[in-house]
Amino acid sequence: MAGSGMKEVVLNPEREFSVLRRHPWIFSGAVAAVNGEPGPGETVRVVSSAGMVLGAGAYSPESQIRVRMWTFTADTHVDKDLVYCRVARAIGSRAVLLAEASTDAFRLINAEADGMPGVIVDKYRDWLVCQFTTAGAEYWKREIIEALMVYMPCRGIYERSEADVRKHEGLTDKAGLLSGEMPPERIEISEHGCRYLVDVRGGQKTGFYLDQRDNRKTVALYANGCEVLNAFSYTGGFGVAALKAGAQSVTHVDISESALQMARDNTSLNVCDLDCSEFIHGSVFDVLRKFRDQGRCFDMVVLDPPKFADSKGSLMKAARGYKDINLLGFKLLRPGGLLATFSCSGIMTPDLFRKVVSDAAVDAQRDVQLTAHMQQATDHPQGLCFPEGFYLKGMLCRVW
Ligand code: SAH
């Protein structure tokens, strides 16, 4: 071990390229040697085969992603000050958003993109909700919470570390209060003039899909007078925004009964009654087929499915799923109608997604214009050298 006695990981010469390109993940196959038996989450110096110091990262003995980089500098010191700096930097970079009067729910820390692999922090009005998904994030958890209390004072900090990736890191799920007051069962947030109830303790992810904020606004812009189908509605997001913007009616479809109940409550919160809203419990694949067979039509269809693919192995099956729902979506649209279609599978590239949706248009025998590209909201930035951070892609299509 060279120098200060710090534990270190030595890379294979043919696998150094990505670290030199500032990519934050080092896979187990890129590691030639580990010196000093680092524990889970402990900081290791990352060294090239020729002995050059490339930076420092968090070691994760059980994960295929063996090291996640904290820094790419020769100064490999990772301590409380660095953690505080990163938290301050992430919050500071969202100052413009945080000043926005119409919205009070944001992502404050977006993992790798904010120099904090495995750390997700969402702000729902006066509460923060955290996910620590990696050994390195878990290792620095206390410091991260302290820094949040300094830089983003709030009523309480709640943990929802229940992501699948924790298993690959050798971590078990954790949820509960980390600091301050327990969040209420439902926190009411505002987003571009809509109000939504968020169940941060029991809802999906940290409670709400904040990454779709800008896209809900885009959909609302076109929704006036439309009959809208909100497929994979979750708690109503797109549909409620559309209704508030003057949609004639909204049909929500989701497989989760509790999400639909919340969609009902969110509708009541924003418009006086439920008369123009329909809530269908079932699988989108079945419900859309049924609508097609019944000859039902809409002016706008939103397709925001969950992640269909999480590995290269599941990509082709996922592509068939995306094609299926998009084909049905096209068929249900009146001429001149709009399809807002999304994929949140990071492994599916924008090019492949476009190909799948265009294949669906061909099979549906419809002329389709691509009106706008959509993506994750600006509080979910991606590291420029970390393409995996770009996961949410959307297209707004006009269908003739
Ligand atoms: N558009 C939403 C987020 C959608 S998340 C928003 O803006 O808030 C994806 C949703 O799809 C989840 O609510 C999940 O319950 C639902 N879902 C997953 N598989 C489904 C299926 N086969 N049919 C219907 N809903 C499904």
Side-chain angles (χ1 to χ4, degrees):
M1 201 168 31
S4 67
M6 190 176 177
K7 293 169 186 177
E8 92 186 357
V9 161
V10 184
L11 300 183
N12 279 325
E14 69 279 11
R15 298 285 294 270
E16 289 163 13
F17 180 74
S18 73
V19 178
L20 292 167
R21 292 274 319 152
R22 302 182 86 89
H23 192 285
W25 291 352
I26 297 174
F27 287 89
S28 56
V31 175
V34 180
N35 297 324
E37 293 186 22
E42 219 181 302
T43 305
V44 287
R45 179 167 48 206
V46 175
V47 182
S48 75
S49 52
M52 189 169 78
V53 176
L54 303 176
Y59 189 72
S60 187
E62 300 208 20
S63 174
Q64 280 304 309
I65 305 175
R66 196 54 49 90
V67 180
R68 288 180 169 82
M69 299 300 283
W70 283 114
T71 94
F72 296 92
T73 56
D75 176 2
T76 56
H77 202 59
V78 175
D79 59 6
K80 181 178 160 175
D81 288 350
L82 182 131
V83 171
Y84 271 56
C85 266
R86 292 285 159 92
V87 171
R89 189 172 97 176
I91 292 170
S93 69
R94 286 156 175 86
V96 169
L97 286 175
L98 290 167
E100 218 180 85
S102 66
T103 303
D104 59 12
F106 301 98
R107 175 148 299 183
L108 292 182
I109 301 181
N110 194 37
E112 277 80 355
D114 284 303
M116 304 193 80
V119 182
I120 302 277
V121 180
D122 289 338
K123 178 180 193 290
Y124 294 104
R125 222 181 55 207
D126 304 324
W127 274 271
L128 304 186
V129 184
C130 308
Q131 276 189 325
F132 302 94
T133 63
T134 60
E138 190 72 33
Y139 188 87
W140 291 101
K141 189 160 137 179
R142 198 163 50 91
E143 289 76 8
I144 293 165
I145 296 161
E146 284 168 10
L148 285 169
M149 293 194 304
V150 171
Y151 296 116
M152 189 49 67
C154 59
R155 282 175 73 177
I157 305 180
Y158 194 78
E159 175 170 25
R160 287 292 304 278
S161 298
E162 297 157 309
D164 280 350
V165 282
R166 273 177 75 93
K167 287 192 200 82
H168 305 303
E169 297 279 320
L171 302 168
T172 53
D173 285 353
K174 278 187 195 159
L177 190 65
L178 294 171
S179 164
E181 278 174 54
M182 192 70 156
E185 268 183 29
R186 292 164 167 213
I187 298 176
E188 187 185 314
I189 61 156
S190 300
E191 178 189 281
H192 296 316
C194 292
R195 294 153 73 198
Y196 295 104
L197 298 165
V198 180
D199 175 3
V200 299
R201 284 147 59 177
Q204 297 178 19
K205 305 277 168 94
T206 65
F208 199 61
Y209 289 86
L210 296 170
D211 52 0
Q212 288 284 25
R213 181 190 320 108
D214 297 351
N215 306 328
R216 283 188 281 265
K217 192 177 177 185
T218 301
V219 160
L221 196 65
Y222 291 90
N224 190 24
C226 288
E227 280 182 61
V228 179
L229 171 60
N230 186 23
F232 307 98
S233 66
Y234 188 47
T235 56
F238 282 100
V240 168
L243 207 56
K244 191 91 200 273
Q248 191 185 321
S249 68
V250 177
T251 301
H252 302 269
V253 183
D254 204 280
I255 205 141
S256 158
E257 189 79 78
S258 58
L260 280 177
Q261 184 51 51
M262 194 83 105
R264 271 188 203 96
D265 295 343
N266 282 331
T267 304
S268 310
L269 197 61
N270 285 276
V271 293
C272 313
D273 53 45
L274 296 174
D275 291 354
C276 301
S277 300
E278 188 184 9
F279 304 88
I280 299 182
H281 179 223
S283 172
V284 164
F285 293 88
D286 302 336
V287 174
L288 268 54
R289 274 199 169 71
K290 201 171 97 197
F291 284 173
R292 179 199 60 192
D293 296 344
Q294 293 169 343
R296 254 189 97 162
C297 285
F298 296 89
D299 305 300
M300 185 182 254
V301 173
V302 179
L303 295 174
D304 184 23
K307 191 159 75 173
F308 283 165
D310 53 12
S311 65
K312 284 209 172 89
S314 56
L315 190 55
M316 280 308 119
K317 184 163 178 272
R320 284 195 291 278
Y322 284 115
K323 185 173 168 196
D324 192 23
I325 53 171
N326 280 281
L327 175 59
L328 289 162
F330 283 134
K331 288 191 169 167
L332 295 178
L333 279 163
R334 297 193 177 97
L338 283 169
L339 176 73
T341 182
F342 298 94
S343 162
C344 63
S345 306
I347 195 110
M348 171 160 270
T349 61
D351 283 352
L352 179 58
F353 184 51
R354 183 176 173 150
K355 166 93 173 64
V356 167
V357 177
S358 58
D359 285 353
V362 170
D363 283 11
Q365 299 184 299
R366 303 293 292 266
D367 285 332
V368 180
Q369 295 168 314
L370 177 50
T371 305
H373 282 290
M374 295 177 279
Q375 61 171 42
Q376 61 218 52
T378 53
D379 51 342
H380 295 59
Q382 34 175 318
L384 196 55
C385 301
F386 180 60
E388 292 84 349
F390 177 33
Y391 64 98
L392 180 62
K393 312 152 282 292
M395 294 187 286
L396 187 66
C397 299
R398 176 86 62 187
V399 183
W400 298 100

